[in-house]
Amino acid sequence: MNPLKTYTGKIVSIPTENIDTDQIIPAQFLKVTDKNGLGKNLFFNWRYLPDGSPNPDFVLNRAESQGATILVAGDNFGCGSSREHAPWALAAFGFRVLISTGFADIFRNNSLKNGLLPVIVDRETHRQLQSLAEEDPETRITIDLPNQTLTLPDGRTVNFPIDPFSKHCLVNGIDQLGYLREHLPAIEEYEKTHPQRVKTI
Amino acid sequence: MTNTPRTLFEKIWDDHVVVHENGNPAVLYIDLHLVHEVTSPQAFTGLREKGLTVRRPSQTLATMDHGIPTTPPNIPITDAMVINQISQLEKNCTEFGIPLMGMDSPNRGIVHVIGPELGATQPGMTIVCGDSHTATHGAFGALAFGIGTSEIEHVLATQSLLQQKPKSMEIRVDGTLKPGVTAKDIILAVIAKIGIGGGTGYVVEYTGSAIRSLNMEERMTVCNMSIEGGARAGMVAPDDTTFEFLANRPLAPQGAAWDEAVAQWRQLRTDDGATYDKTVTLNADDLTPMITYGTNPGMGMKITDTIPDPADVADVSARQSLQKALDYMGLQPGKPLLGHPVDVVFLGSCTNSRLHDLWQAASVLKGRKVAPNVRMLVVPGSQRVKAQAEAEGLDKIFIEAGAEWRESGCSMCIAMNGDQLSPGQYAVSTSNRNFEGRQGPGGRTFLASPLTAAASAVAGAVADVRVLMNNE
């Protein structure tokens, strides 16, 4: 996993609330058996017209949005299914940071395991970021993960929450499976003292 | 052991914490891991790349359900990507020693239908699957939730997961459901009340006399859609209804072990004096058939209501979201949905594809016909449900009414297998999501109960089943 410490990038805003994982990556693209190539299908039904050409009205297709790596999205981003294809597609497209007033639980978990940082901000900051993105598409902001701050172009800094473990893993690029496997002796001990509840074989 | 009163959720959580280091997430032990073809291939690849094995194949159960066709078994699958996912799952299960309910198995079906019907789903267990509707299994008093593919790999390798402890929410539904009102209407009313993000960060326990009086299939319908309210898990404390359902199922405990298990399961209830972080209440007496009008499951209303007007919504973002939804749905504010023409009726999905659901729909369709302008698909939740329905003659009722009687699978709920709406078509669907394009690009979905779906199929338009019932 790519570590993420301090990061400065260009923002783009999709203000729609409750953007579900079917919008982020529709089910027809879940037939793959690897994680590659999903970036081109991100927001497929919004991004392309029925004839397959780019929808000029969709913000990610506009010339001024090119190179954006921080997505400012409406509340409850990533609701719906557990498909990790959603963060895979966002990361493959080039996003490193997602900002919203709230994220769905499973999506948030999945993002953190793919070097994609979900940042929760208050409504006022969210509104300000949306306006900035609309007024000046070249707006860049800085995320300082160790200090859990977001710095706006006017120099104002805003704190954001993240649990210490996820932060540690993201800052150091640690795969969580490694930490979990360190506890295998304790897992083995648990199995000795807790009878297996169901045997599928 | 502490004597502090605990909720059902806390009891199961405490019982499965392997290690909880200060400041870190808990290592939570997983009793049962369900696997399907769509979200697992990359997890098995991860194991291979790291040289790892599956820690507990005998606590793992695999099937294929998401992408498979529901056409008769003698018709070959043509989608090369679906064929590839099926063969990958077969190969992965063989290589790692995981039991697979494969294409030819009489036990194959939607993963959340077969777990309970095989008796693999049991009270007090932790159950996970790479699918957000894993919440279904909570109906048995299990802590069951959906996980991503990275976490699938974690569970395959360690039989454990790293988890932050969620908060608890009680959703209490007292009272008695009126005729024509079902478990689906309860959960659609709950989601309309709390909103689709209302349960974020919570595990829900459904309590109250109306929940208690539901059968297991109905409790599964309620728990299934916990995720549509944002909650990863929903649960109901086990009782005699639960034990009667599980008795003599192939993977349930048998003989003396059964008696011992039931004695333990009876302890799985929220203690008097235990507190939840939040409580929401509904009265079943006030509920009517529900239907959604928008593009998320929280946009639901009484079937007799009129479509809300964005102009009445104060919050700017919420107003824009509602307007966007109505534009997509092609609906006008202030108009009723009753009588709105319907092109397709879908009876199926892990929400409503069990025998009880089929019986309910069949009770409406018996002696009636699906309207000529409507295509109705009936997709049983599993091959066992299909066989049982055929033994009871339900297939004939559906076929005589003019509906399609198909093989089991997720089908038009996720529309990966060719069962899908055409752009612009309207469906009344017993599934769980009405997101834009969920049932096919450009398709427009009204979520409702099997009773409402069947009544709408007959009418060729959104219909109130109570009117049909009153005319009988």
Side-chain angles (χ1 to χ4, degrees):
Chain A
M1 190 169 77
N2 281 341
L4 192 143
K5 294 186 176 78
T6 303
Y7 184 79
T8 300
K10 178 170 150 176
I11 61 173
V12 65
S13 168
I14 307 180
T16 309
E17 291 186 335
N18 302 312
I19 296 177
D20 58 80
T21 53
D22 278 271
Q23 306 319 312
I24 299 172
I25 184 84
Q28 74 237 49
F29 303 112
L30 309 186
K31 296 178 189 175
V32 293
T33 52
D34 61 17
K35 303 177 186 179
N36 304 323
L38 291 167
K40 63 180 182 296
N41 301 321
L42 179 71
F43 295 119
F44 185 86
N45 291 329
W46 292 353
R47 207 164 133 203
Y48 302 103
L49 297 169
D51 68 3
S53 64
N55 177 358
D57 294 334
F58 186 57
V59 64
L60 293 187
N61 290 332
R62 294 185 199 145
E64 63 268 27
S65 303
Q66 303 314 304
T69 56
I70 298 177
L71 176 63
V72 181
D75 191 46
N76 196 31
F77 186 71
C79 61
S81 91
S82 64
R83 61 188 71 164
E84 201 159 317
H85 308 67
W88 292 339
L90 286 160
F93 183 84
F95 288 116
R96 290 296 324 259
V97 177
L98 309 170
I99 301 175
S100 180
T101 45
F103 295 91
D105 284 334
I106 307 178
F107 173 80
R108 188 172 172 279
N109 270 327
N110 287 340
S111 296
L112 286 165
K113 290 178 177 64
N114 289 280
L116 193 58
L117 175 66
V119 173
I120 296 177
V121 294
D122 59 275
R123 290 178 76 109
E124 185 47 45
T125 306
H126 190 255
R127 258 194 294 270
Q128 200 178 342
L129 286 166
Q130 260 177 257
S131 309
L132 283 168
E134 279 154 28
E135 285 157 17
D136 179 8
E138 288 307 315
T139 300
R140 297 166 80 82
I141 62 167
T142 297
I143 304 289
D144 180 343
L145 180 54
N147 290 308
Q148 296 179 222
T149 58
L150 175 160
T151 306
L152 299 169
D154 64 5
R156 187 166 78 93
T157 63
V158 182
N159 294 304
F160 63 85
I162 184 170
D163 70 275
F165 180 77
S166 299
K167 177 170 138 181
H168 171 76
C169 290
L170 211 47
V171 166
N172 298 293
I174 293 170
D175 183 334
Q176 299 185 9
L177 180 54
Y179 173 81
L180 194 48
R181 292 189 68 238
E182 285 172 18
H183 291 290
L184 278 171
I187 293 167
E188 204 162 310
E189 201 52 40
Y190 179 95
E191 287 172 338
K192 278 183 197 154
T193 51
H194 294 74
Q196 188 170 340
R197 288 172 191 261
V198 66
K199 290 188 174 70
T200 57
I201 303 174
Chain B
M1 202 60 205
T2 169
N3 288 323
T4 312
R6 291 183 298 167
T7 62
L8 168 63
F9 158 67
E10 286 170 318
K11 288 180 183 182
I12 301 175
W13 174 271
D14 292 347
D15 202 21
H16 289 84
V17 172
V18 176
V19 182
H20 197 173
E21 291 177 335
N22 207 10
N24 284 347
V27 176
L28 194 73
Y29 194 75
I30 302 302
D31 292 313
L32 176 65
H33 185 193
L34 302 165
V35 173
H36 66 82
E37 83 278 22
V38 169
T39 56
S40 68
Q42 299 87 347
F44 285 106
T45 302
L47 289 185
R48 280 194 198 92
E49 284 170 358
K50 298 180 183 77
L52 300 174
T53 56
V54 174
R55 178 167 181 81
R56 288 278 175 149
S58 70
Q59 287 169 238
T60 313
L61 188 64
T63 194
M64 45 272 276
D65 55 4
H66 277 64
I68 58 161
T70 56
T71 42
N74 58 343
I75 297 178
I77 305 175
T78 51
D79 186 330
M81 294 185 85
V82 170
I83 293 170
N84 184 40
Q85 279 194 329
I86 291 171
S87 70
Q88 287 260 324
L89 184 65
E90 289 168 342
K91 182 167 158 264
N92 290 332
C93 288
T94 304
E95 184 179 331
F96 292 97
I98 294 169
L100 171 66
M101 305 300 157
M103 287 307 291
D104 299 328
S105 170
N107 294 330
R108 174 171 63 80
I110 303 176
V111 66
H112 309 309
V113 175
I114 70 169
E117 85 185 352
L118 295 174
T121 299
Q122 296 167 23
M125 295 194 352
T126 46
I127 301 173
V128 296
C129 174
D131 187 282
S132 61
H133 291 107
T134 308
T136 312
H137 306 264
F140 291 79
L143 175 59
F145 52 92
I147 57 176
T149 300
S150 295
E151 291 180 317
I152 294 173
E153 189 183 331
H154 294 185
V155 180
L156 289 172
T158 68
Q159 203 57 36
S160 302
L161 266 183
L162 292 168
Q163 286 294 300
Q164 305 284 355
K165 188 175 179 179
K167 292 177 285 186
S168 63
M169 182 191 294
E170 177 188 30
I171 296 182
R172 169 169 283 275
V173 191
D174 283 315
T176 310
L177 291 175
K178 295 202 163 64
V181 187
T182 69
K184 182 65 164 287
D185 303 303
I186 293 179
I187 191 62
L188 286 174
V190 165
I191 301 163
K193 180 165 180 157
I194 69 171
I196 62 163
T200 302
Y202 291 91
V203 163
V204 172
E205 182 181 348
Y206 300 94
T207 65
S209 57
I211 300 293
R212 245 337 107 216
S213 63
L214 299 177
N215 68 30
M216 287 315 297
E217 291 161 305
E218 295 168 318
R219 291 181 192 182
M220 284 189 254
T221 298
V222 171
C223 289
N224 171 274
M225 288 187 72
S226 299
I227 186 67
E228 273 64 48
R232 282 180 82 178
M235 50 189 10
V236 175
D239 57 13
D240 286 334
T241 305
T242 320
F243 311 143
E244 278 162 31
F245 180 97
L246 282 175
N248 302 313
R249 300 262 168 190
L251 296 176
Q254 312 286 333
W258 168 259
D259 296 335
E260 205 177 302
V262 170
Q264 281 183 13
W265 293 343
R266 287 195 191 280
Q267 310 302 314
L268 292 169
R269 47 177 290 278
T270 292
D271 296 325
D272 295 337
T275 53
Y276 301 90
D277 295 304
K278 188 175 181 179
T279 293
V280 173
T281 57
L282 262 83
N283 190 336
D285 297 288
D286 300 338
L287 297 180
T288 68
M290 295 285 294
I291 194 158
T292 64
Y293 53 84
T295 54
N296 75 53
M299 294 178 173
M301 64 180 193
K302 292 180 174 180
I303 199 161
T304 48
D305 279 350
T306 54
I307 295 160
D309 192 338
D312 297 335
V313 180
D315 180 75
V316 179
S317 306
R319 182 163 66 236
Q320 287 168 349
S321 295
L322 177 57
Q323 187 60 57
K324 186 174 188 297
L326 296 187
D327 290 347
Y328 180 84
M329 295 296 291
L331 296 174
Q332 298 298 318
K335 295 268 174 63
L337 261 191
L338 280 175
H340 192 286
V342 169
D343 305 293
V344 174
V345 170
F346 173 61
L347 175 61
S349 88
C350 57
T351 312
N352 283 124
S353 65
R354 288 166 286 263
L355 202 62
H356 178 76
D357 304 310
L358 302 186
W359 261 115
Q360 287 210 309
S363 72
V364 173
L365 289 174
K366 189 164 188 177
R368 294 193 172 98
K369 292 282 180 200
V370 173
N373 58 317
V374 171
R375 177 189 181 200
M376 180 173 183
L377 291 84
V378 183
V379 181
S382 70
Q383 295 304 92
R384 278 181 174 239
V385 168
K386 180 169 185 276
Q388 186 61 32
E390 287 171 355
E392 296 181 20
L394 294 182
D395 57 325
K396 290 194 180 58
I397 295 175
F398 290 122
I399 292 164
E400 277 166 22
E404 298 173 23
W405 176 247
R406 303 179 72 97
E407 297 293 302
S408 71
C410 297
S411 182
M412 199 184 273
C413 175
I414 191 164
M416 285 181 71
N417 73 338
D419 299 346
Q420 64 185 65
L421 300 176
S422 303
Q425 278 191 321
Y426 286 97
V428 172
S429 176
T430 67
S431 56
N432 41 57
R433 289 188 175 139
N434 51 353
F435 297 147
E436 286 183 25
R438 170 77 179 189
Q439 297 195 285
R444 301 184 278 200
T445 301
F446 304 128
L447 299 175
S449 73
L451 285 178
T452 299
S456 302
V458 171
V462 173
D464 188 339
V465 71
R466 295 171 300 179
V467 174
L468 275 185
M469 291 165 88
N470 288 339
N471 291 342
E472 272 171 2

